Amino acid sequence: MPSPSPWRNTFFLLFVGAAFVSNTGTWLFNVAAGWLMTDLGGSALSVSLVQTANLLPLVLLAVPAGTLGDLGDRRRILLITQSALIAVNAVFAYLVQGELATAEWLLVFTLLNGIGTALSAPLITAVIPQLVARDRLSTAMSIGGISFNSARAIGPILCGWLITTYGMSLPFWIDAVSFVAVVAVIFFWSDDRHRDGNMPPRVFQFAMGDSLRFLRYTPALYNSVLRAILFFMGAGALWALLPLVAKEQLGGDASLYGYLVGAVGVGAVVSGLAYDEVAAWMGGSNRLTVIVSILFGGCLIGLALAPAPGWAYPACALAGVCWQLAFTSLISSAQYALPKWFGVRGMAYYFMAMGLSLALGSALWGWLADALSLATAHFVAAGVCLVTAFVGRRFPLDQAKGADLEAFTQYPELHVPAGEGEDPGGMLLIRNRYEIDPEHVGELRKRLLKLRNKRYRSGSLRWHLYQPLEVNGTATIVESYAEIKYTALHRHDERITQADNEALDEFSKWLEAAGGQCSQEVLEEVTG
């Protein structure tokens, strides 16, 4: 029986509503910052660096922030970061109002704003799977996308009107106040993640290492990350160059810029409302992302050739449609691969990939616009969209869509021995010795190689599979892997998902049917 629709989940809707208010404020900041840089006489590169400054912290801080989010109290971290963003944006609004803002100060405060976003964005996204059932995740992400893109549609138009009517500082003041909405909702939220029970606290650097192994040995996640890098590299030209299109190419003011960005948001909202139907019609996420990447390149060419706003609006609206369809496909594919205890770290890699691609791309497109021309930068970015669309086909999406990643809880309860609250610093080496008929050795190796990813995802190190040894008609093959800490072996079991257990159960049944046997020994390796 399907789970209740996210549209009937009151707290989820409150959370999405708060995010809408905050995102509207963020778009006020983004549009006002881009336009302020043009008023300050910035070059095309300087204008594009506003986006780079906003996104660069995602590259540098998303994974450490994600690790903190998985180890610590997500509610407390969100309350602190959102409160800090209120203060930072209020200070910058004061500088703008007093006409003290310079191009350098603009980049500094944009960077600070980006730091706050980098520390909170993976956590906010990872909260959604805790609020809705897994079979409703794509719908929930689509609703979140509608909220985000409604803010993208309203915020820029509102920003243009505010600047032309009340001056440059008011959008920044409203942005500062908008973060209060998230603070108010998160204050009443309770984190329901699976905890480590009586395990000692995890060490930060080990948790970082766990996340790297999880990324490396989870194809469903790293495919999504790679596809994000490919798509956003070319697509980022839209945001990097749109202020210049509005002011230099079309001869408009802040209102025109706001309307162009608003057209992108309108297109994104429309596609978000129909995402499930469009994805099904196009045959799934893989084909959809290829098609929309090609169409996005066409939109960039349309913008480069637009002689008047009437030609630019449709190009922006279609670009918004393509952006939202690709974004929802990519982020949902990443979410499907993540159990709750890796939720923030996994999303951090996605946001890091998106931020890296957009930050580097923005600087590149701005440099090309200065060195050659605005139109040339658009043409090159369109070519990148076309090429990356076909390269991305090698990395299929939604590989974990049907997997059950809830924790498998039927293991016997394990306790840390008395007096061992502090880990003595050793490692555990686990050796599984398989004895089987030689004719099944090839199949055994294939099945053990498939289990390797599960071992690494659960926190193991140094996995090895030794060459089989045949004695008296029986083949023996040894699998070994290490755990960083004594308590890691306990956590290894706590990180077994239902899907992992199904794979282990299937392996055990095959081994028994093949007449094989397994014996395990646990050895201590003392480290300094």
Side-chain angles (χ1 to χ4, degrees):
M1 180 177 178
S3 303
S5 169
W7 292 106
R8 298 177 179 271
N9 186 325
T10 302
F11 192 83
F12 169 74
L13 294 178
L14 286 173
F15 180 78
V16 170
F20 166 76
V21 173
S22 176
N23 285 326
T24 300
T26 298
W27 278 104
L28 290 176
F29 180 97
N30 291 341
V31 173
W35 195 255
L36 178 59
M37 183 61 84
T38 65
D39 277 353
L40 294 173
S43 64
L45 179 59
S46 297
V47 173
S48 65
L49 285 178
V50 172
Q51 173 150 298
T52 300
N54 193 32
L55 294 169
L56 187 61
L58 270 177
V59 180
L60 302 177
L61 299 177
V63 176
T67 304
L68 287 175
D70 277 333
L71 296 185
D73 187 333
R74 294 180 182 177
R75 175 179 172 275
R76 179 178 298 179
I77 295 172
L78 284 172
L79 289 174
I80 292 172
T81 55
Q82 300 301 291
S83 299
L85 284 169
I86 294 173
V88 167
N89 286 286
V91 170
F92 186 65
Y94 174 79
L95 292 177
V96 175
Q97 182 173 329
E99 298 184 353
L100 301 174
T102 63
E104 291 76 15
W105 277 121
L106 173 57
L107 291 176
V108 167
F109 276 89
T110 301
L111 185 67
L112 292 174
N113 203 55
I115 291 172
T117 300
L119 294 175
S120 58
L123 278 76
I124 289 175
T125 307
V127 167
I128 291 179
Q130 294 182 247
L131 303 180
V132 300
R134 182 175 176 81
D135 62 345
R136 296 291 188 174
L137 182 57
S138 64
T139 302
M141 295 305 299
S142 183
I143 294 171
I146 293 170
S147 167
F148 178 82
N149 288 296
S150 297
R152 177 185 285 168
I154 295 171
I157 296 173
L158 177 62
C159 183
W161 178 75
L162 290 172
I163 291 174
T164 56
T165 306
Y166 296 102
M168 183 63 75
S169 65
L170 188 56
F172 295 107
W173 283 116
I174 296 176
D175 178 39
V177 175
S178 70
F179 292 103
V180 174
V182 176
V183 171
V185 173
I186 290 296
F187 184 82
F188 293 99
W189 174 60
S190 178
D191 191 351
D192 66 347
R193 286 174 296 156
H194 174 69
R195 300 292 183 178
D196 279 343
N198 64 341
M199 293 293 103
R202 284 173 285 182
V203 180
F204 180 84
Q205 61 266 32
F206 291 157
M208 286 279 288
D210 286 346
S211 72
L212 286 169
R213 285 189 299 278
F214 188 89
L215 174 67
R216 168 63 180 85
Y217 293 101
T218 308
L221 177 59
Y222 68 67
N223 278 8
S224 304
V225 168
L226 290 173
R227 290 288 284 270
I229 292 174
L230 292 172
F231 175 78
F232 292 115
M233 176 61 71
L238 175 70
W239 307 112
L241 302 177
L242 201 54
L244 299 170
V245 171
K247 187 168 188 176
E248 297 181 3
Q249 181 176 324
L250 303 178
D253 57 11
S255 294
L256 175 59
Y257 177 44
Y259 286 131
L260 290 174
V261 180
V264 179
V266 170
V269 170
V270 171
S271 65
L273 289 170
Y275 172 78
D276 291 336
E277 292 77 9
V278 173
W281 177 63
M282 289 192 176
S285 296
N286 289 294
R287 188 179 180 191
L288 183 149
T289 51
V290 172
I291 293 173
V292 299
S293 185
I294 295 171
L295 289 175
F296 201 100
C299 295
L300 293 177
I301 294 174
L303 275 177
L305 300 176
W311 292 85
Y313 288 136
C316 286
L318 181 56
V321 170
C322 295
W323 181 283
Q324 179 59 28
L325 291 174
F327 180 85
T328 302
S329 296
L330 294 167
I331 199 169
S332 296
S333 178
Q335 287 277 24
Y336 286 135
L338 300 175
K340 289 181 180 179
W341 53 91
F342 269 111
V344 183
R345 280 171 285 180
M347 290 315 303
Y349 283 110
Y350 175 85
F351 280 106
M352 181 184 71
M354 184 176 71
L356 175 65
S357 198
L358 288 172
L360 294 180
S362 296
L364 173 62
W365 309 132
W367 175 79
L368 279 177
D370 274 339
L372 300 174
S373 69
L374 186 58
T376 302
H378 280 98
F379 290 144
V380 174
V384 170
C385 288
L386 180 63
V387 171
T388 55
F390 290 100
V391 173
R393 296 174 64 187
R394 299 181 58 188
F395 309 104
L397 300 175
D398 288 353
Q399 289 182 294
K401 186 173 183 178
D404 185 353
L405 300 185
E406 290 298 315
F408 182 72
T409 58
Q410 298 178 21
Y411 283 95
E413 184 177 359
L414 298 173
H415 299 279
V416 179
E420 291 189 14
E422 294 295 329
D423 195 288
M427 299 179 70
L428 290 179
L429 179 65
I430 296 91
R431 287 180 180 167
N432 294 324
R433 185 182 302 274
Y434 301 93
E435 296 181 353
I436 198 168
D437 191 288
E439 67 175 306
H440 296 302
V441 167
E443 181 65 19
L444 176 61
R445 288 179 60 86
K446 290 180 182 179
R447 290 176 177 267
L448 288 173
L449 286 171
K450 289 182 179 180
L451 290 182
R452 177 189 61 175
N453 286 7
K454 185 205 73 67
R455 308 286 194 207
Y456 277 123
R457 284 198 300 269
S458 299
S460 300
L461 293 173
R462 290 163 31 189
W463 184 92
H464 291 290
L465 189 62
Y466 296 96
Q467 291 294 329
L469 177 65
E470 185 175 340
V471 178
N472 297 328
T474 300
T476 301
I477 188 169
V478 176
E479 174 199 24
S480 73
Y481 53 91
E483 298 285 356
I484 294 177
K485 291 197 169 249
Y486 284 99
T487 53
L489 183 60
H490 298 240
R491 287 202 181 92
H492 184 121
D493 285 345
E494 292 194 358
R495 289 177 185 164
I496 298 294
T497 65
Q498 295 286 353
D500 287 334
N501 183 67
E502 289 172 6
L504 288 170
D505 188 53
E506 180 186 353
F507 174 79
S508 297
K509 289 179 179 178
W510 174 85
L511 185 65
E512 182 179 356
Q517 296 181 354
C518 175
S519 59
Q520 184 180 85
E521 58 179 340
V522 180
L523 306 175
E524 179 180 338
E525 287 190 336
V526 179
T527 58

